[in-house]
Amino acid sequence: MAEQSPNWVELPPDVTAAILSRLGAAEVLESAQKVCTTWRRICQDPAMWRTVDMCNLGHFSTSNNYEAMTMHAVDRSSGQLAAISVGFFCTDALLAYISDRSSQLRLLRLVCCDDISDIGWMEAVKKLPLLEELHLYYTSISKEAIGVVGRCCPLLKSLKLNNQGSRRPYIDCDDEALAIAENMPGLHHLQLFGNKITKDGLQAILDNCPHLESLDLRQCFNVNFGGNLGKRCSQQIKNVRRPYDSTEDYEFDTDILDYESFDEDHPTSFSDIDFMSEDDEHYVFSGGSNVSYDEDYAEYCLMIS
């Protein structure tokens, strides 16, 4: 007698919800919720949208309208959104849409987002007073915007401000480190992967962020951990990762720029496929999008309804 396959539709709703919650937002919107009425009803529950992942797009987007998809996911949360990850397509307008409707947001993660201006940052974080974690990968933010984040998000405990490591000589900058030191005294976790920080910036962080439990400065090649500075880091912070420590557990590509391979004609830009490791199932493309939010959002909602 052939073994009977399980009927997934007959699973208890809480079990089905737990399974579906492991999928990315794109997969839920464009695939899972279309399986049956039971799954669609579960996918409409705001509790399903407390965490939204719009970095793991996979191959499920048929419209390529990532902005409208993100907006729809935010609306599905009905103000309960606690954590969101957004990829390369995030702009001032989309960040404003998220912040306007997500006053409970605790974690904001952005990857390869170069189309967010200082004004966009400053206006958005003013509406996110409960933000505890800000994780930025290859995403520009100025020292002024860092200052506003620190002042407007007093509960911020974790900051990741990560870039591609570079050994180019004579390039160092403590602007970001000093802005962090001056405006984020409550930090417990700080990751500055590939930053151009020097010993002066590190000293300022140690002086002004007394609650730090972890500090990750991998590929920050301008910092020398010898002498008293390295000793102080070890004494003051439980978990310290140094410039030349292993990057095996880092989720993105860890290739290092050097002066021989660096493209002088494009010193601040990256290739069309940015920073993704060989194990990634999707790619992140550079560049922004000029989108008509009202029209595209309405069209997308009709398409998935």
Side-chain angles (χ1 to χ4, degrees):
M1 182 176 178
E3 185 177 348
Q4 188 175 4
S5 299
N7 188 342
W8 297 104
V9 177
E10 294 180 356
L11 288 174
D14 58 333
V15 175
T16 302
I19 295 171
L20 295 177
S21 67
R22 297 176 181 273
L23 304 177
E27 189 170 358
V28 172
L29 289 173
E30 300 208 342
S31 180
Q33 72 168 359
K34 298 177 182 179
V35 170
C36 62
T37 55
T38 299
W39 282 25
R40 183 171 182 81
R41 184 172 61 252
I42 292 172
C43 291
Q44 291 175 336
D45 184 350
M48 274 283 298
W49 301 93
R50 284 178 52 79
T51 298
V52 170
D53 181 1
M54 284 301 298
C55 285
N56 182 19
L57 298 173
H59 58 278
F60 288 95
S61 177
T62 57
S63 67
N64 291 328
N65 196 338
Y66 306 125
E67 297 93 339
M69 194 185 304
T70 304
M71 294 161 66
H72 193 66
V74 170
D75 287 346
R76 283 275 183 98
S77 74
S78 298
Q80 297 183 31
L81 186 65
I84 188 168
S85 300
V86 185
F88 64 98
F89 53 88
C90 194
T91 61
D92 284 0
L94 183 54
L95 186 60
Y97 193 93
I98 294 169
S99 62
D100 284 343
R101 293 159 178 80
S102 309
S103 61
Q104 303 299 309
L105 195 68
R106 262 67 172 182
L107 185 153
L108 174 62
R109 180 177 182 268
L110 301 179
V111 180
C112 294
C113 300
D114 287 330
D115 293 317
I116 302 175
S117 69
D118 276 3
I119 294 177
W121 273 116
M122 295 174 187
E123 292 302 313
V125 297
K126 291 176 183 177
K127 303 167 187 175
L128 302 175
L130 301 183
L131 194 69
E132 297 177 1
E133 301 178 64
L134 178 61
H135 297 170
L136 307 180
Y137 298 84
Y138 319 111
T139 296
S140 301
I141 184 171
S142 70
K143 61 181 181 180
E144 290 80 13
I146 291 173
V148 175
V149 172
R151 293 189 293 273
C152 293
C153 306
L155 301 181
L156 194 71
K157 298 292 188 297
S158 175
L159 176 68
K160 295 183 180 181
L161 192 58
N162 298 341
N163 288 292
Q164 188 173 23
S166 172
R167 289 197 181 99
R168 291 197 82 206
Y170 315 121
I171 296 182
D172 54 55
C173 181
D174 283 317
D175 287 352
E176 294 164 343
L178 294 177
I180 292 168
E182 292 169 3
N183 297 283
M184 298 180 177
L187 282 181
H188 287 233
H189 308 284
L190 177 61
Q191 186 177 68
L192 297 175
F193 195 101
N195 197 271
K196 297 177 177 64
I197 185 176
T198 72
K199 62 181 180 61
D200 295 332
L202 176 54
Q203 185 74 51
I205 288 172
L206 293 175
D207 289 342
N208 294 281
C209 301
H211 304 293
L212 275 182
E213 300 173 21
S214 67
L215 176 64
D216 188 346
L217 296 180
R218 284 177 292 174
Q219 295 194 2
C220 295
F221 299 118
N222 292 328
V223 177
N224 185 342
F225 271 80
N228 292 331
L229 187 61
K231 182 178 180 180
R232 182 181 175 189
C233 281
S234 298
Q235 292 175 339
Q236 185 171 329
I237 303 173
K238 294 179 182 178
N239 183 10
V240 179
R241 306 195 73 170
R242 300 169 185 245
Y244 291 92
D245 283 356
S246 171
T247 59
E248 185 175 352
D249 63 342
Y250 191 66
E251 62 184 303
F252 294 101
D253 181 63
T254 57
D255 286 347
I256 299 169
L257 294 175
D258 58 48
Y259 68 93
E260 292 179 350
S261 63
F262 201 82
D263 186 349
E264 294 290 349
D265 293 330
H266 303 281
T268 60
S269 64
F270 307 100
S271 64
D272 285 341
I273 299 177
D274 291 336
F275 307 114
M276 308 310 292
S277 68
E278 293 179 356
D279 295 331
D280 285 305
E281 297 179 355
H282 65 282
Y283 299 96
V284 173
F285 293 88
S286 300
S289 171
N290 295 320
V291 59
S292 172
Y293 280 86
D294 293 339
E295 294 179 4
D296 284 1
Y297 185 35
E299 180 181 350
Y300 180 77
C301 291
L302 286 173
M303 182 189 72
I304 68 170
S305 63

